[in-house]
Coordinates of all heavy atoms in Angstrom, one line a residue:
N12 N 6.8 -5.0 -1.5 CA 6.2 -3.6 -1.4 C 6.5 -3.1 0.0 O 6.0 -3.7 1.0 CB 4.7 -3.7 -1.8 CG 4.1 -2.3 -1.7 OD1 4.4 -1.5 -0.8 ND2 3.3 -2.0 -2.7
D14 N 5.7 -0.1 1.2 CA 4.9 1.1 1.6 C 4.6 1.2 3.1 O 4.6 2.2 3.7 CB 3.6 1.1 0.8 CG 3.7 1.3 -0.7 OD1 4.8 1.6 -1.1 OD2 2.7 1.1 -1.4
H15 N 4.2 0.0 3.6 CA 3.7 0.0 5.0 C 4.8 0.2 6.1 O 4.5 0.4 7.2 CB 2.7 -1.1 5.2 CG 1.5 -0.9 4.3 ND1 0.8 0.2 4.3 CD2 1.1 -1.7 3.3 CE1 -0.2 0.1 3.4 NE2 0.0 -1.0 2.8
T46 N 9.0 -2.7 -4.5 CA 8.0 -1.8 -5.1 C 7.7 -0.8 -4.0 O 7.6 -1.0 -2.8 CB 6.7 -2.7 -5.3 OG1 7.0 -3.6 -6.4 CG2 5.5 -1.8 -5.7
H48 N 5.0 2.8 -3.7 CA 3.9 3.6 -4.3 C 4.0 5.0 -3.8 O 3.7 5.2 -2.6 CB 2.6 2.9 -4.0 CG 1.4 3.5 -4.6 ND1 0.1 3.1 -4.4 CD2 1.3 4.6 -5.4 CE1 -0.7 3.8 -5.0 NE2 -0.1 4.8 -5.6
R50 N 2.2 8.0 -3.5 CA 0.8 8.5 -3.7 C 0.8 10.0 -3.8 O 1.7 10.6 -3.2 CB -0.1 8.0 -2.6 CG -0.3 6.5 -2.5 CD -1.4 6.1 -1.5 NE -2.7 6.5 -1.9 CZ -3.6 5.6 -2.3 NH1 -3.3 4.3 -2.4 NH2 -4.8 6.0 -2.7
H55 N 2.3 7.4 2.6 CA 3.3 6.5 3.1 C 4.7 6.9 2.5 O 5.5 7.6 3.1 CB 3.0 5.0 3.0 CG 2.2 4.6 1.8 ND1 2.6 4.8 0.5 CD2 1.0 4.0 1.7 CE1 1.7 4.3 -0.3 NE2 0.7 3.8 0.3
N73 N 10.5 -1.0 -8.6 CA 9.2 -0.9 -9.4 C 8.5 0.3 -8.8 O 8.0 0.3 -7.6 CB 8.4 -2.2 -9.1 CG 7.1 -2.2 -9.8 OD1 6.8 -1.5 -10.8 ND2 6.2 -3.0 -9.2
E75 N 5.6 2.7 -8.3 CA 4.1 2.6 -8.5 C 3.6 4.0 -8.4 O 3.9 4.7 -7.4 CB 3.6 1.7 -7.5 CG 2.3 1.0 -7.8 CD 1.8 0.2 -6.6 OE1 2.6 -0.7 -6.2 OE2 0.7 0.5 -6.2
C95 N 4.8 1.1 -12.6 CA 3.5 0.5 -12.5 C 2.4 1.5 -12.3 O 2.4 2.2 -11.3 CB 3.5 -0.6 -11.4 SG 1.9 -1.4 -11.3
L96 N 1.5 1.6 -13.3 CA 0.5 2.6 -13.2 C -0.8 2.1 -12.5 O -1.3 1.0 -12.9 CB 0.1 3.1 -14.6 CG 1.3 3.9 -15.3 CD1 0.8 4.3 -16.7 CD2 1.8 5.0 -14.5
V97 N -1.2 2.8 -11.5 CA -2.4 2.3 -10.7 C -3.4 3.5 -10.7 O -3.1 4.6 -10.8 CB -1.9 2.0 -9.3 CG1 -0.9 0.8 -9.3 CG2 -1.4 3.2 -8.5
T105 N -6.6 1.7 0.2 CA -5.6 1.1 -0.6 C -6.1 1.1 -2.0 O -7.2 1.5 -2.3 CB -5.2 -0.3 -0.1 OG1 -4.2 -0.8 -0.9 CG2 -6.4 -1.3 -0.1
T106 N -5.3 0.6 -3.0 CA -5.7 0.6 -4.4 C -6.8 -0.4 -4.6 O -6.6 -1.6 -4.5 CB -4.5 0.2 -5.3 OG1 -3.3 1.0 -4.8 CG2 -4.7 0.5 -6.7
F136 N -1.7 -1.9 -13.9 CA -2.3 -2.6 -12.8 C -3.8 -2.7 -13.1 O -4.5 -1.7 -13.0 CB -2.1 -1.9 -11.5 CG -2.5 -2.7 -10.2 CD1 -2.2 -4.0 -10.1 CD2 -3.3 -2.0 -9.3 CE1 -2.6 -4.7 -8.9 CE2 -3.7 -2.7 -8.1 CZ -3.4 -4.0 -8.0
E156 N -0.1 -6.1 -14.4 CA -0.2 -6.7 -13.1 C -1.6 -6.9 -12.8 O -2.4 -6.0 -12.8 CB 0.5 -5.9 -12.1 CG 0.4 -6.5 -10.7 CD 1.4 -5.9 -9.7 OE1 2.5 -5.5 -10.0 OE2 1.0 -5.9 -8.5
H158 N -4.9 -7.6 -10.6 CA -5.3 -7.2 -9.2 C -5.9 -8.5 -8.6 O -6.9 -8.9 -9.0 CB -6.3 -6.1 -9.3 CG -6.5 -5.4 -8.0 ND1 -6.7 -6.0 -6.9 CD2 -6.6 -4.0 -7.8 CE1 -6.9 -5.1 -5.9 NE2 -6.8 -3.9 -6.4
M197 N 1.3 -10.4 -10.7 CA 0.1 -10.4 -9.9 C 0.4 -9.7 -8.5 O 1.5 -9.9 -8.0 CB -0.5 -11.8 -9.6 CG -1.0 -12.5 -10.9 SD -2.4 -13.4 -10.6 CE -2.7 -14.0 -12.2
G198 N -0.6 -9.1 -7.9 CA -0.4 -8.5 -6.6 C -1.7 -7.9 -6.0 O -2.6 -7.6 -6.7
H199 N -1.6 -7.7 -4.8 CA -2.6 -7.1 -3.9 C -3.3 -8.1 -3.0 O -3.9 -9.0 -3.5 CB -3.6 -6.3 -4.6 CG -4.1 -5.1 -3.8 ND1 -5.0 -5.3 -2.8 CD2 -3.7 -3.8 -3.8 CE1 -5.1 -4.1 -2.2 NE2 -4.4 -3.2 -2.8
G200 N -3.0 -7.9 -1.7 CA -3.7 -8.7 -0.7 C -3.2 -10.1 -0.5 O -3.8 -10.9 0.2
L201 N -2.1 -10.5 -1.2 CA -1.6 -11.9 -1.2 C -1.0 -12.3 0.2 O -0.3 -11.5 0.8 CB -0.6 -12.2 -2.3 CG -1.2 -12.0 -3.7 CD1 0.0 -12.0 -4.7 CD2 -2.2 -13.1 -4.0
N219 N 3.9 -9.3 -6.5 CA 4.3 -8.1 -5.6 C 3.5 -8.1 -4.4 O 2.2 -8.1 -4.4 CB 4.1 -6.8 -6.4 CG 5.2 -6.6 -7.4 OD1 6.4 -6.6 -7.1 ND2 4.8 -6.5 -8.7
I220 N 4.2 -8.2 -3.3 CA 3.5 -8.5 -2.0 C 4.0 -7.5 -0.9 O 5.3 -7.3 -0.8 CB 3.7 -9.9 -1.5 CG1 3.4 -10.9 -2.6 CG2 2.9 -10.2 -0.2 CD1 3.6 -12.4 -2.3
G221 N 3.1 -6.9 -0.2 CA 3.5 -5.9 0.8 C 2.9 -6.1 2.2 O 3.5 -6.7 3.1
H222 N 1.6 -5.7 2.3 CA 1.0 -5.6 3.6 C 1.1 -6.9 4.4 O 1.4 -6.8 5.6 CB -0.5 -5.2 3.4 CG -1.3 -5.0 4.6 ND1 -2.0 -5.9 5.2 CD2 -1.3 -3.9 5.4 CE1 -2.6 -5.5 6.3 NE2 -2.2 -4.2 6.4
F223 N 0.8 -8.0 3.9 CA 0.9 -9.2 4.6 C 2.3 -9.5 5.2 O 2.4 -9.9 6.4 CB 0.4 -10.4 3.8 CG 0.7 -11.8 4.5 CD1 -0.1 -12.2 5.5 CD2 1.7 -12.5 4.1 CE1 0.1 -13.4 6.1 CE2 2.0 -13.8 4.7 CZ 1.2 -14.2 5.7
L224 N 3.3 -9.3 4.4 CA 4.6 -9.6 4.8 C 5.1 -8.6 5.9 O 5.9 -9.0 6.8 CB 5.6 -9.6 3.6 CG 5.4 -10.9 2.7 CD1 6.3 -10.8 1.5 CD2 5.7 -12.2 3.5
Ligands
LIG301 N1 0.8 -4.4 -6.5 C1 0.2 -3.2 -6.6 C2 0.1 -2.6 -8.0 C3 -0.3 -2.5 -5.5 O1 -1.0 -1.3 -5.7 C4 -0.1 -3.0 -4.2 C5 -0.6 -2.3 -3.0 O2 0.1 -1.1 -3.0 C6 0.6 -4.3 -4.1 C7 1.0 -4.9 -5.3 C8 0.8 -4.9 -2.8 O3 -0.4 -5.2 -2.2 P1 -0.4 -5.6 -0.7 O4 0.3 -4.6 0.1 O5 -1.8 -5.8 -0.4 O6 0.4 -6.9 -0.6

Side-chain angles (χ1 to χ4, degrees):
N12 181 316
D14 292 352
H15 296 303
T46 294
H48 181 179
R50 292 186 75 104
H55 36 58
N73 177 26
E75 204 184 301
C95 179
L96 296 181
V97 300
T105 181
T106 314
F136 187 49
E156 181 164 325
H158 196 312
M197 293 220 180
H199 211 282
L201 295 170
N219 285 303
I220 308 179
H222 185 264
F223 170 75
L224 288 175

